Amino acid sequence: MKLSLLFRALLFGVSASTVHARPGPSKSYTEIYRPQYHFTPAKNWMNDPNGLVYDADEGVYHLYFQYSPSGPKWGALSWGHATSKDLMHWTEQPVALLARGFPGNVTEMFFSGTVVIDEANTSGFGRKGKVPWVAMYTSYYPVEQVLPSGKHVLKDVQAQSIAYSLDKGMTWTTYDAQNPVIAEPPTPYQDLYKEFRDPGIFWHKETQHWVALVSLATQHKVLIYTSQNLKHWDFASEFGPVNAVGGVWECPNIFPLSLDGKKTKWVLVLGLNPGGPPGTVGSGTQYVVGDFNGTTFTADANSIYDGSGPEDSVIFEDFEGDATFAARGWTATGDLANASPAKGTLAGQNPVTGFQGQQLLNTFIDGDATTGTLTSAPFDISHKYINFLVGGGSNVNETAIRLKVDGRTVHTSTGSNSESLAWQTWDVSKLQGQSALIEIIDNTTGGWGHINVDQISFSNTRATSTIANWLDWGPDFYAALGWNGLPQGQRTIIAWMNNWQYAQNIPTDPWRSAMTVPRHLALKTIDNKATLVQEPAGKWKSLTNHGRAFTFRKVESVRDLGRIGKTLELELKFSSDRASSSEKAEFGVSVAATRDYSHETRVGYDFSTQQVFVDRTRSGDTSFDGTFAGVYSAPLAPSSDGTVSLRILVDWSSVEVFGGEGEATITSQIFPAQNAVYGRLFSTGGKTADVKLRVREVRSTWR
Ligand code: FRU
């Protein structure tokens, strides 16, 4: 049987990767940390959502996803599959595209991509009146080989391929006769074939052609292609780099939305890893608003940041002018002893980008062979943040910029193995008035053995919050993607609720990673800018009970709510009117707390900075990654009636906060103890007035 299948596959050039056992009947889904109303696969590893498509005839939402059939770690990447009629109850389906060769030696993995319904059968894959669905994905080839199409690929090539389904997305046939259909990046980028991925495809009605966005990850570029038949693609234009470039760009996708219900704008969504939102470490998601004419994306001027950093910056060092480092007041050792700042790119180096003015510190002087240290003169910390641009090597022990107080290193940053400098910020608000110094080290001669630094400056604003439009300000929101096939103008997205920084180490078993709740998007003018606002999609009411309502004229210190449960929707509204105080003025709610509050996740509002925040420093198990315990903030102005509103979704291992109208969202995983079912309100630095809270329990969607 096996042999004859293989024989058929060889004969007809179709992939044998179509028939797989369905994952067993819906498991109980009661393991510790198992999300109760967020999608998780029954077992194994998951990352990005892929191929989201809505089958309007059947009323079925399809969710494909990056999936490892081999266990709870990234590997043998395949497309998992799940379906839902309401975006809340999901049924896991058989694997849609299984890594070629699995469980033996894998010769092709199916990386991220998207699915369209080819109604007009432009691809010709349709037969007997059956409408073909076409998936475009990145083929990742871990070994050099000659493909069934006769094309030769080198080891580690990433190229774009297609597959089709004639049974509404349940089984797929790879287009082996021609794959990959985009074999390499266009001139002059051909040598970047290892960083070329994640096609986002859709039908552009106005110009009547298919469009694919493909990421040229390390260049922070999106390549735009067009096609009449999904098989032959023409390179049309490129976009980027803009805004946040602290890591690779991945999973680009673009969609139209009406601004304030009026004219149509286009929203480009980009994954960024690392270099995510302020205060996070690892991956994040940004968006850019503009216009798209079928071949070219043009960003709105006010959706782009010029990269110059906050306006209130006081420059400490910009490396401009003729003086050597030593003459500028730095103690310079090793090869840097008599050296000076560089005029941009140095001999033998790829182009250095993202610095300000004419010069920067660039230790590629004698190539990577250069080593040495620069130590600044001591200075008193006078502002909340130290901002700087950094690029180059990523090893914290080898090429780094550090802040030292009393001889102790209190902050360290590096580049991300890239010649493009990106803003980084150290929060020094707790070190006010202390004497500090900055040390820049390069003590390695190997690959990426250099560092690039510029614009070291003091400010009360984080540079990192003014460089991008963040789709979510939390640490666990990545590779966001919208459903194709929804009625015009309607946009629902979902994202991977994890972070490459620690994704493989989160303490869940036998699955790893969840999706966020699906979110409905709209585009509104807020603060003179086209801004995405989000709310949970689907019929929420059907999942929740009526809940308990609390009203307090004033809350001071803490107010216990008792046992509130573990799967919750909270709506919290309060007055933003607070007398100034010397203590930090915060108000919010602790959730997923133990009875003694030794563990809790604090969701609140900082009145002085006007930011909503999630504090997971004491949220439970944070031990698996040194950066996991953190506080994440998003700017949120009070609404015109002077109140602040927060909607908070709590599940067994996550918190999602929607602030205001949904313009500020923070998505964060937490791993609380099983008995962390308590909650309380807190108000620090004074009383908070007119507090209204509703607490609803959310039912499990798995039982
Ligand atoms: C993003 C990503 C994609 C790639 C996929 C591989 O999270 O790195 O760029 O296609 O994951 O699993």
Side-chain angles (χ1 to χ4, degrees), residues 623-695:
S623 63
F624 53 89
D625 181 84
T627 70
F628 188 82
V631 184
Y632 312 100
S633 304
L636 177 66
S639 66
S640 51
D641 66 358
T643 62
V644 176
S645 303
L646 305 178
R647 186 168 178 189
I648 305 159
L649 305 182
V650 184
D651 202 341
W652 286 9
S653 50
S654 63
V655 173
E656 286 160 284
V657 183
F658 298 79
E661 298 176 71
E663 68 270 35
T665 66
I666 302 179
T667 302
S668 169
Q669 295 185 93
I670 51 171
F671 299 100
Q674 247 150 342
N675 60 354
V677 295
Y678 296 90
R680 63 177 173 185
L681 296 171
F682 58 83
S683 182
T684 62
K687 294 179 190 150
T688 304
D690 302 332
V691 174
K692 286 200 176 67
L693 170 68
R694 184 171 281 278
V695 183

Side-chain angles (χ1 to χ4, degrees), residues 47-48 66 74 77 111-112 138 197-198 250-251 478-479 496 500:
N47 57 289
D48 317 351
Q66 289 287 282
W74 191 93
L77 264 282
F111 275 13
S112 286
T138 297
R197 57 183 176 270
D198 307 340
E250 298 180 317
C251 304
Y478 196 57
W496 180 48
W500 282 115

Side-chain angles (χ1 to χ4, degrees), residues 547-564:
R548 284 197 290 161
F550 303 82
T551 15
F552 304 105
R553 218 166 53 79
K554 293 246 152 41
V555 174
E556 188 171 15
S557 183
V558 292
R559 172 108 32 167
D560 215 331
L561 300 169
R563 196 184 179 94
I564 53 173

Side-chain angles (χ1 to χ4, degrees), residues 27-361:
K27 299 275 169 354
S28 61
Y29 273 58
T30 52
E31 305 95 329
I32 185 170
Y33 308 136
R34 175 70 90 170
Q36 296 299 296
Y37 60 94
H38 288 84
F39 177 73
T40 52
K43 59 178 186 167
N44 295 341
W45 167 267
M46 172 175 79
N47 57 289
D48 317 351
N50 294 151
L52 305 183
V53 67
Y54 178 62
D55 180 352
D57 297 336
E58 308 288 331
V60 173
Y61 295 87
H62 290 258
L63 160 64
Y64 301 89
F65 48 88
Q66 289 287 282
Y67 179 71
S68 168
S70 60
K73 287 238 178 211
W74 191 93
L77 264 282
S78 303
W79 277 31
H81 184 199
T83 52
S84 171
K85 290 218 153 197
D86 62 2
L87 290 171
M88 293 183 289
H89 297 82
W90 293 97
T91 307
E92 196 173 346
Q93 304 289 354
V95 170
L97 289 161
L98 184 68
R100 208 179 287 251
F102 181 82
N105 284 341
V106 171
T107 56
E108 179 187 6
M109 295 191 199
F110 296 89
F111 275 13
S112 286
T114 43
V115 166
V116 291
I117 299 179
D118 181 15
E119 295 286 358
N121 195 18
T122 61
S123 62
F125 288 135
R127 272 199 302 270
K128 297 192 187 136
K130 284 188 183 152
V131 172
W133 291 20
V134 178
M136 192 172 195
Y137 53 88
T138 297
S139 293
Y140 165 65
Y141 304 105
V143 285
E144 181 172 353
Q145 60 193 286
V146 176
L147 300 170
S149 61
K151 294 178 185 171
H152 172 227
V153 288
L154 297 173
K155 177 175 160 36
D156 289 338
V157 157
Q158 298 181 352
Q160 321 317 318
S161 296
I162 57 176
Y164 64 93
S165 169
L166 296 177
D167 60 359
K168 291 174 165 278
M170 299 310 292
T171 60
W172 292 85
T173 305
T174 50
Y175 182 41
D176 289 356
Q178 289 297 327
N179 276 339
V181 294
I182 306 180
E184 59 176 18
T187 331
Y189 306 120
Q190 291 100 319
D191 57 334
L192 294 168
Y193 58 82
K194 293 185 182 176
E195 298 284 354
F196 177 49
R197 57 183 176 270
D198 307 340
I201 57 174
F202 64 98
W203 176 251
H204 189 253
K205 206 173 73 200
E206 296 77 0
T207 52
Q208 293 286 300
H209 59 219
W210 299 103
V211 177
L213 266 56
V214 186
S215 169
L216 201 57
T218 50
Q219 305 308 298
H220 316 115
K221 280 184 194 291
V222 173
L223 306 179
I224 300 176
Y225 292 79
T226 60
S227 174
Q228 290 303 334
N229 57 14
L230 294 158
K231 292 173 170 168
H232 178 87
W233 291 90
D234 294 310
F235 174 56
S237 73
E238 60 174 71
F239 176 78
V242 299
N243 296 355
V245 292
V248 289
W249 278 14
E250 298 180 317
C251 304
N253 59 96
I254 189 173
F255 48 81
L257 268 183
S258 67
L259 176 59
D260 304 317
K262 295 188 201 107
K263 74 171 173 196
T264 299
K265 298 300 295 185
W266 286 77
V267 183
L268 172 65
V269 173
L270 299 162
L272 179 75
N273 177 45
T280 68
V281 178
S283 34
T285 304
Q286 61 175 325
Y287 67 95
V288 184
V289 179
D291 294 307
F292 181 66
N293 64 7
T295 52
T296 309
F297 177 72
T298 312
D300 285 357
N302 70 355
S303 208
I304 298 289
Y305 300 90
D306 68 2
S308 61
E311 279 167 16
D312 68 342
S313 297
V314 177
I315 300 286
F316 176 67
E317 177 62 272
D318 61 5
F319 299 111
E320 299 298 320
D322 292 333
T324 60
F325 296 118
R328 310 173 73 85
W330 294 79
T331 305
T333 68
D335 302 327
L336 301 176
N338 299 310
S340 303
K343 296 200 175 355
T345 310
L346 292 169
Q349 193 174 27
N350 285 324
V352 175
T353 57
F355 59 97
Q356 308 266 306
Q358 308 302 311
Q359 301 191 154
L360 74 155
L361 159 72

Side-chain angles (χ1 to χ4, degrees), residues 350-523:
N350 285 324
V352 175
T353 57
F355 59 97
Q356 308 266 306
Q358 308 302 311
Q359 301 191 154
L360 74 155
L361 159 72
N362 180 348
T363 67
F364 198 75
I365 298 170
D366 185 18
D368 279 327
T370 306
T371 59
T373 302
L374 294 180
T375 308
S376 76
F379 57 89
D380 289 342
I381 296 179
S382 54
H383 291 68
K384 281 197 214 159
Y385 303 107
I386 299 179
N387 296 312
F388 50 89
L389 287 161
V390 61
S394 68
N395 189 317
V396 285
N397 299 311
E398 296 179 343
T399 52
I401 172 167
R402 298 169 173 161
L403 183 72
K404 291 192 145 183
V405 174
D406 286 337
R408 254 182 343 109
T409 299
V410 291
H411 286 286
T412 304
S413 293
T414 68
S416 55
N417 288 354
S418 156
E419 301 293 12
S420 73
L421 282 74
W423 282 108
Q424 292 202 29
T425 299
W426 292 329
D427 182 342
V428 290
S429 51
K430 299 211 172 82
L431 300 169
Q432 295 301 298
Q434 300 209 38
S435 173
L437 47 85
I438 288 173
E439 191 177 81
I440 301 172
I441 61 158
D442 174 353
N443 55 27
T444 182
T445 58
W448 286 110
H450 64 277
I451 181 166
N452 309 325
V453 178
D454 201 9
Q455 274 342 76
I456 303 171
S457 43
F458 307 142
S459 165
N460 289 321
T461 312
R462 285 178 181 268
T464 38
S465 31
T466 55
I467 57 164
N469 311 297
W470 298 108
L471 188 48
D472 189 284
W473 295 75
D476 295 303
F477 185 94
Y478 196 57
L481 187 66
W483 265 273
N484 276 330
L486 290 176
Q488 181 78 4
Q490 194 175 315
R491 190 48 57 174
T492 304
I493 60 160
I494 202 168
W496 180 48
M497 193 156 57
N498 210 341
N499 185 321
W500 282 115
Q501 167 69 21
Y502 43 68
Q504 317 237 27
N505 300 323
I506 58 170
T508 63
D509 182 49
W511 82 100
R512 240 197 210 106
S513 297
M515 294 297 175
T516 63
V517 290
R519 301 179 185 186
H520 176 80
L521 292 187
L523 196 59

